[in-house]
Structures are given as structure tokens and as C-alpha cells.
Amino acid sequence: MALSAADWLARIRTLDLPEKVRIMNVCGGHERSITQAGLRGALPPNIELIPGPGCPVCVCPEEDVYQAIQLATREDLTLATFGDMLRVPVNVRKNEIRSLEQAKAAGADVVPVASPQEVVALARANPDRRLVFFAAGFETTTAPVAAMMAQGVPDNLLLLLSGRLTWPAVSMLLNSGEIGFDALIAPGHVGTVMGPEEWEFVVSEHGVPAAIAGFDSGSLMASMYSVLRQLQDAKPFLDNCYPSVVQPGGNPMARKFLDDVMEVMDATWRGIGTIPGSGFTLRPDYAEHDAQKVLPDYGDEARRRVGEMPAGCDCARVVLGRIYPDQCRIFSAPCTPRNPVGPCMVSDEGACRIWWSSGRRTRLELAAK
Ligand code: SF4
């Protein structure tokens, strides 16, 4: 019989741990489960749970969002995107359109979609009109987009791709000289697609305990017990605490779609900069469907501001796990889900949004971690 979260917690309490242990997660789904279940409060006080780079909407570069907004305001096309991209703000002057939602309100033809299949159906239903699909996401979101392209799309469908790989961001943190965590909870959904092997480097190259977790409290607490036990015993290894779903090698079909349709490139992460080998781009065979190649590039102005965030916004440090969401100077006032200043308050996977929606509404004074 599987142990419950309470069983794992009892085991954690028996461990002989250092005065302070910092466990980072890199998945918005993990952060949501941890926060909503109140796992931080249940753990011994010397254990910190740090949300890391787990939100693709939060790291989607300003230049890509700006490009999407500029395309959306053209008369001759429709722009489709996942709903959580609509409210992501860009850093423009007050009288300019700063989100796809504002573009839509101003008359742009912006359509929120839930899946690539919906995008293909939309393109087929309107064969005389160009449809640009702005697709931002990590491996789990990008694989179905690759499948869509591999299976053939209508001539009028173009892809504005902003896909990112998760592990290079963790690698960057581990090589930064300012690691900021002692153990890692690796994302179960990414492991499902790409396989657990991608996370071996955390242990083999850096000696940092790691465990892949699912999304319920039991699996998360099992992964926490695993990495804490590894720390106690000074025997790090990669533990798969989600074996029912995460299999060696991942999902071969999803990986083949990704390999066939996309190449890996260096890519910009919003507020963070370029991370080597962290982005997907369409292979040349798909150039006629690549919005970056077929349509005008409006990103130059935004590109000059790469790395900049709106005034007062600390999203980059939240994404990197350098501060907690409620340590941002404008958390909850004025930045709220209704009035998001930074992208971390927009998406359901953004740490600021998750904390605010779970009832954490008070800003903390920034303290060194
Ligand atoms: Fe960014 Fe708002 Fe979070 Fe501050 S509170 S880090 S501005 S999303």
C-alpha cells in the first residue's frame, strides 16, 4: 500500500538534518500543489521549499510577446494562443498596447485556444485568412505542437514558437556559483515526455540530491523525504518517485515528433538572459509555416530591452528562486492577478499568482536568503 503524505511527513521528522535545507521545485504544478496543500507549513521549519523556473509563461521573452501583439494588430490575420498568454504584459509606454488582451479589446483578432487541434480546426474553418499560433511552453506543451506540425497543417497556419527546455535553466543555476538550493524536485510531467535521464546531471555533475515527483501530496512528500534522506546519508542519486508515469526514455513518440520538427537553440528567458540550448525552433523543412521567417519581425525594439522588466517587478529573481514571491516590493500592491505588473502574476503556473490565489496577500520585507 502506498504511503500517505502524513506517513512521509512522519518519516521526514525522524531525519537528522542540517539547520537549514533548501529544496527547489521547477514546476508550476508542483508549486501549486505544495502551496494549496499547505506543505510548507507542515514541514519542519528548517526545510525551505523554493519555487524555481517552472512557469513557461513567466519566462517567455518580452520580444516574443511584443512580436505576437504587433502581429495581432494587423488586419490580415488572426492570432491564436493559449489563454494564459493573453494577459502577459510587456514593458511599453503607457499609451501603447501592453498585452494581447488589450490588443483584443482594441479590435485585434485574438483567439484563446486550449489545444493544437483547436488551432488546426480554426485554420481549416477559415482557409482564406492567415492564422498565427503563438505557442509558448515547456517540453510538455511543445511536444503536441510538434506533433501538430508533423501531422500536417493547412497552408494558412503559421507558428510563432516560444518553446523552452527546463533542464538547461537548472543547469545554469547549478553552474552560476550561487546555487541557492541543496536538493531538487524535478518535474514529473517533463520527465514523462523526455525521460528521467535528463536530470541525471544534477547528481552526476553537481552532487545535488534529486527526485522526480508527481503532483499529489503523497508523491511530493515522498520526493522530499527522498532528497532529505539522500542529504542526511550524503549519498545523492536521482530517485524516480513518479514511476507509474515517468518511464526510462520518456515518451518515444513525443520525443520523435520534437526531434523531427524542431531543433534546439540558445534562447532568451525573460529577465534572465540567454540560456544555452534551452529553446526550440522549427527545422528548415517547416520554414513556410514559421511566422518568424514568413512575417515581418517587430521584435527589434523589444529585443533592445531584453532583460528589462516593468518598473519594480522582481519576476526574474522569483523565477530563479532568489526571492519568494511575497518579497517582491509590489507583491499584492499594486501587483495582483487583476492588475498584473509582471508575468509571474498572470499564469496559473506563476509563483506569484499561485501564492496570491492561495491566500498569501501580504508583502514581506526582503531578507537575504
Ligand atoms: Fe513580478 Fe508581480 Fe511577482 Fe513582483 S509580485 S515578482 S511584479 S509578478
Side-chain angles (χ1 to χ4, degrees), residues 50-294:
I50 302 173
C55 166
V57 171
C58 306
V59 302
C60 182
E62 163 129 354
E63 67 208 71
D64 289 8
V65 184
Y66 184 83
Q67 173 81 4
I69 292 170
Q70 299 314 305
L71 291 178
T73 53
R74 287 172 50 135
E75 288 287 333
D76 61 343
L77 58 80
T78 299
L79 188 124
T81 192
F82 297 122
D84 54 1
M85 286 306 301
L86 289 187
R87 303 188 65 219
V88 175
V90 291
N91 192 19
V92 292
R93 286 180 285 276
K94 278 209 169 104
N95 58 350
E96 291 182 53
I97 291 174
R98 65 190 297 263
S99 68
L100 286 166
E101 183 182 58
Q102 286 188 1
K104 185 174 171 63
D109 191 3
V110 177
V111 181
V113 291
S115 69
Q117 290 85 349
E118 201 180 324
V119 176
V120 171
L122 195 57
R124 291 216 166 101
N126 301 277
D128 299 328
R129 187 165 171 79
R130 268 180 169 168
L131 177 68
V132 175
F133 178 24
F134 177 32
F138 287 147
E139 296 91 331
T140 36
T141 306
T142 307
V145 175
M148 174 192 83
M149 298 305 296
Q151 288 161 357
V153 296
D155 291 344
N156 60 324
L157 176 52
L158 301 172
L159 183 63
L160 180 60
L161 181 62
S162 194
R164 295 290 179 270
L165 291 102
T166 327
W167 71 263
V170 174
S171 176
M172 184 208 70
L173 284 173
L174 287 168
N175 287 308
S176 68
E178 194 190 345
I179 296 177
F181 59 95
D182 307 298
L184 181 79
I185 303 297
H189 62 286
V190 174
T192 305
V193 173
M194 307 301 281
E197 300 84 357
E198 274 198 340
W199 300 96
E200 287 283 1
F201 78 96
V202 176
V203 178
S204 61
E205 294 177 22
H206 302 279
V208 172
I212 297 172
F215 297 90
D216 60 58
S217 297
S219 180
L220 280 161
M221 290 300 258
S223 69
M224 287 175 209
Y225 173 77
S226 173
V227 295
L228 292 168
R229 175 81 188 263
Q230 293 175 47
L231 269 175
Q232 174 197 264
D233 298 347
K235 287 184 182 160
F237 66 98
L238 175 66
D239 198 2
N240 182 0
C241 297
Y242 200 27
S244 57
V245 176
V246 177
Q247 302 287 325
N251 181 324
M253 191 173 289
R255 294 190 66 170
K256 181 163 170 33
F257 282 135
L258 283 170
D259 286 345
D260 288 350
V261 174
M262 296 174 188
E263 295 173 319
V264 172
M265 60 169 187
D266 298 347
T268 308
W269 291 52
R270 189 170 188 182
I272 294 168
T274 300
I275 300 181
S278 68
F280 291 106
T281 186
L282 281 174
R283 288 190 181 278
D285 286 354
Y286 294 88
E288 65 193 34
H289 290 286
D290 190 340
Q292 303 276 19
K293 295 196 167 72
V294 174

Side-chain angles (χ1 to χ4, degrees), residues 309 311-316 318 323 325 328-332 335-336 340-346 352-353:
M309 302 299 268
C313 169
D314 239 339
C315 280
V318 169
I323 62 169
C328 173
R329 282 166 294 163
I330 56 175
F331 179 80
S332 209
C335 188
T336 63
V341 177
C344 296
M345 195 59 93
V346 175
C352 296
R353 169 78 178 247

